[in-house]
């Protein structure tokens, strides 16, 4: 049975697809991966067509009602399933929350972006009450700008939601965007670079959580 991780945030541009693709790529060191693209825009599937598809399979699910069934059929075939969430699709998010063991909420370090997560956080907490704390959920600072103090202040705002914040910020780095546009990842292009380091740090925390 696969470990199932959902990357969710109702806001477009939070970095969900960038993190989902990089996370999936980095998890290759820990077993077989399936990525599930729930975004009708299909950015992850576009990446696969650019050449990324050689790294791990990506299936698209465009109907919220089909998400669970698709994953249940495939869960025995993989060690990890990473769900790339879509903006605004609350029903899809609800299904993702109901099947995932871990939800990661990438959030840009701005109070406005955090406030936009309120409904998602309450959806997750309602589910946790029903299923004894499953899924675990945590925020991940995404697209942080170097040299700004905002990320540190944001940690205080996150505390109000009473969900953990993962250690280490994912910074705004051109390699994250540029590598994906050619069907690659920052990990393939610069395995020893800062971007790859940030992703590996995230993966270590995730893998530890599943041990
Ligand atoms: N850490 C990052 N550094 C630089 N650019 C980023 C980063 N994360 C996301 N982006 C860029 O921001 C835009 C939105 O990111 P994306 O991952 O598609 O967000 P979402 O899936 O939440 O809508 C894309 O153009 C992407 O290339
Ligand atoms: Mg996306």
């Amino acid at each position: 049975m696969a470990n199932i991780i959902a990357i969710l945030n109702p806001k477009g541009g939070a970095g969900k697809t960038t993190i989902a693709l990089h996370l999936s790529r980095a998890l290759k060191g820990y077993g077989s991966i399936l990525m599930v693209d729930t975004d009708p825009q299909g950015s992850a599937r576009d990446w696969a067509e650019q050449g990324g598809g050689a790294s791990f399979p990506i299936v698209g699910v465009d109907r919220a009602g089909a998400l669970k069934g698709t994953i249940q059929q495939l869960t025995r075939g993989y060690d990890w399933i990473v769900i790339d969430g879509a903006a605004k699709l609350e029903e899809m998010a609800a299904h993702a929350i109901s099947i995932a063991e871990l939800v990661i909420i990438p959030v840009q370090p701005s109070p406005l972006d955090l406030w936009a997560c309120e409904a998602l956080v309450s959806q997750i907490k309602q589910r946790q009450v029903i299923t004894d704390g499953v899924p675990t959920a945590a925020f991940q600072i995404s697209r942080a700008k170097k040299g700004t103090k905002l990320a540190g202040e944001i940690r205080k705002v996150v505390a109000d939601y009473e969900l953990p914040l993962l250690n280490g910020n994912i910074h705004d780095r051109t390699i994250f965007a540029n590598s994906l546009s050619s069907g690659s990842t920052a990990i393939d292009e610069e395995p020893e670079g800062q971007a790859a380091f940030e992703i590996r740090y995230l993966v270590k925390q995730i893998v530890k959580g599943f041990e």
Side-chain angles (χ1 to χ4, degrees):
M1 299 286 267
N3 296 323
I4 303 172
I5 306 167
I7 315 296
L8 302 178
N9 184 318
K11 241 183 137 134
K16 291 181 290 296
T17 302
T18 303
I19 288 179
L21 287 170
H22 279 89
L23 170 63
S24 300
R25 169 64 186 83
L27 278 170
K28 274 175 76 178
Y30 299 89
S32 55
I33 318 294
L34 174 72
M35 195 171 148
V36 180
D37 181 5
T38 69
D39 191 339
Q41 286 184 358
S43 319
R45 283 167 274 177
D46 289 343
W47 173 83
E49 278 174 22
Q50 293 297 313
S55 299
F56 44 81
I58 301 180
V59 296
V61 171
D62 292 323
R63 268 191 324 113
L67 182 65
K68 255 181 142 161
T70 302
I71 289 178
Q72 278 162 349
Q73 265 178 22
L74 295 169
T75 184
R76 289 181 195 284
Y78 297 92
D79 298 311
W80 301 90
I81 295 179
V82 176
I83 304 170
D84 182 18
K88 296 197 183 118
L89 303 183
E90 270 201 32
E91 197 191 343
M92 187 71 89
H95 283 274
I97 290 164
S98 75
I99 195 153
E101 293 150 276
L102 171 66
V103 176
I104 294 184
I105 310 168
V107 66
Q108 293 188 71
S110 112
L112 287 174
D113 286 50
L114 268 165
W115 294 331
C117 296
E118 196 173 343
L120 173 63
V121 170
S122 65
Q123 249 182 329
I124 293 168
K125 293 202 165 172
Q126 284 170 29
R127 180 71 193 173
Q128 287 175 333
V129 169
I130 298 168
T131 47
D132 266 342
V134 180
T136 310
F139 283 97
Q140 166 66 56
I141 298 285
S142 164
R143 305 181 67 183
K145 302 259 189 304
K146 271 277 171 216
T148 58
K149 284 202 182 126
L150 203 50
E153 284 158 24
I154 279 305
R155 288 182 182 262
K156 293 176 206 149
V157 183
V158 169
D160 289 344
Y161 280 134
E162 295 176 336
L163 284 186
L165 178 60
L166 292 170
N167 290 319
N169 300 327
I170 293 189
H171 285 91
D172 197 282
R173 300 180 186 279
T174 45
I175 191 169
F176 277 122
N178 286 352
S179 60
L180 293 185
S181 64
S182 55
S184 182
T185 68
I187 295 163
D188 297 290
E189 307 231 319
E190 277 185 31
E192 299 308 318
Q194 293 291 321
F197 176 87
E198 289 175 354
I199 296 297
R200 282 200 297 267
Y201 194 68
L202 167 63
V203 168
K204 271 186 204 144
Q205 293 175 76
I206 290 173
V207 170
K208 205 162 176 228
F210 276 100
E211 275 168 7

